[in-house]
Amino acid sequence: GENVEQHPSTLSVQEGDSAVIKCTYSDSASNYFPWYKQELGKGPQLIIDIRSNVGEKKDQRIAVTLNKTAKHFSLHITETQPEDSAVYFCEPNAGGTSYGKLTFGQGTILTVHP
Amino acid sequence: NAGVTQTPKFRVLKTGQSMTLLCAQDMNHEYMYWYRQDPGMGLRLIHYSVGEGTTAKGEVPDGYNVSRLKKQNFLLGLESAAPSQTSVYFCASSWVLGNTGELFFGEGSRLTVL
């Protein structure tokens, strides 16, 4: 199955700073790279995703970059706000071939201080 | 739209008791999943289903059983609860994995086994 490592495990920033979380994976068949945000007491929710034919995708203050050769992708949050405080998970997968191999990173606890 | 609904949201059991967690989705998704979330362990897949009447084991299936008698429902059963099963359980659903791969999560069920 997929080996997924996510770093850092905790990240503390001041409001307005940028935050970067990196996800490294092992399965070269992975072709779908989502990031999920989990707020306290809720289930994870997709915030951005990227496919293997694209190197970067941006949606307002968040972006995801992909390096398929090195097998890692990163979440970038600019101009952080207190409401960005949450746990973030990556979940690289190979789409239809993944089935029971869906593997999440261990999560990054992001704290944005006002 | 309700999305993915889990019941109950909280439950306390004694060791050896049994219980069933119910997951219902109204998005006509083919795939459904049960995860458990423990501190520092991220989300781990217990069982999943690729369609009505089918189930399969995930990463940590021991001590759990599942059933998918109707497309919209996915039940997770604990026949003889153990303290190691104290966790937060999340149900998720998605379109066929070869599509987007996005997972839609419920809000979680917190189970404590004494």
Side-chain angles (χ1 to χ4, degrees):
Chain A
E2 178 90 88
N3 288 324
V4 180
E5 290 191 3
Q6 192 176 327
H7 295 284
S9 55
T10 61
L11 181 58
S12 183
V13 301
Q14 289 296 127
E15 183 176 359
D17 287 350
S18 295
V20 181
I21 304 169
K22 184 176 180 180
C23 183
T24 304
Y25 61 96
S26 63
D27 188 352
S28 57
S30 293
N31 59 15
Y32 177 63
F33 307 93
W35 283 98
Y36 289 84
K37 176 184 181 182
Q38 185 179 23
E39 296 177 345
L40 195 62
K42 300 201 169 185
Q45 186 171 12
L46 179 75
I47 55 170
I48 196 165
D49 57 12
I50 195 169
R51 299 191 181 276
S52 59
N53 59 341
V54 177
E56 182 174 354
K57 182 177 177 181
K58 195 171 181 180
D59 182 4
Q60 298 183 349
R61 294 187 300 107
I62 60 172
V64 54
T65 57
L66 171 65
N67 185 330
K68 266 211 108 180
T69 304
K71 293 183 190 170
H72 65 74
F73 63 111
S74 297
L75 175 69
H76 305 255
I77 306 174
T78 59
E79 300 172 29
T80 53
Q81 300 169 5
E83 51 264 39
D84 295 328
S85 296
V87 183
Y88 293 83
F89 293 97
C90 63
E91 191 248 324
N93 74 80
T97 65
S98 290
Y99 290 2
K101 302 175 188 174
L102 300 180
T103 304
F104 282 82
Q106 271 108 352
T108 297
I109 302 172
L110 173 64
T111 304
V112 181
H113 300 281
Chain B
N1 290 336
V4 178
T5 304
Q6 293 181 227
T7 53
K9 290 185 170 38
F10 301 93
R11 185 75 187 268
V12 178
L13 289 178
K14 293 182 180 177
T15 297
Q17 287 185 318
S18 63
M19 75 157 296
T20 300
L21 296 176
L22 171 64
C23 177
Q25 53 96 3
D26 62 1
M27 296 172 282
N28 202 33
H29 285 168
E30 290 291 340
Y31 281 60
M32 295 188 75
Y33 318 82
W34 276 107
Y35 289 89
R36 60 177 288 171
Q37 185 174 37
D38 304 293
M41 302 288 287
L43 290 148
R44 293 184 292 168
L45 184 64
I46 304 171
H47 285 281
Y48 65 99
S49 168
V50 302
E52 181 179 319
T54 73
T55 64
K57 295 180 181 179
E59 181 187 358
V60 288
D62 294 342
Y64 305 95
N65 57 76
V66 287
S67 65
R68 183 114 181 255
L69 300 179
K70 293 183 179 180
K71 186 176 182 178
Q72 64 267 33
N73 295 338
F74 195 28
L75 277 65
L76 177 71
L78 285 72
E79 289 187 349
S80 179
S84 61
Q85 294 177 305
T86 293
S87 187
V88 181
Y89 292 85
F90 287 96
C91 176
S93 69
S94 69
W95 297 108
V96 174
L97 273 179
N99 213 343
T100 68
E102 177 181 358
L103 296 169
F104 294 82
F105 284 87
E107 299 223 319
S109 298
R110 182 175 293 275
L111 174 65
T112 302
V113 183
L114 302 175

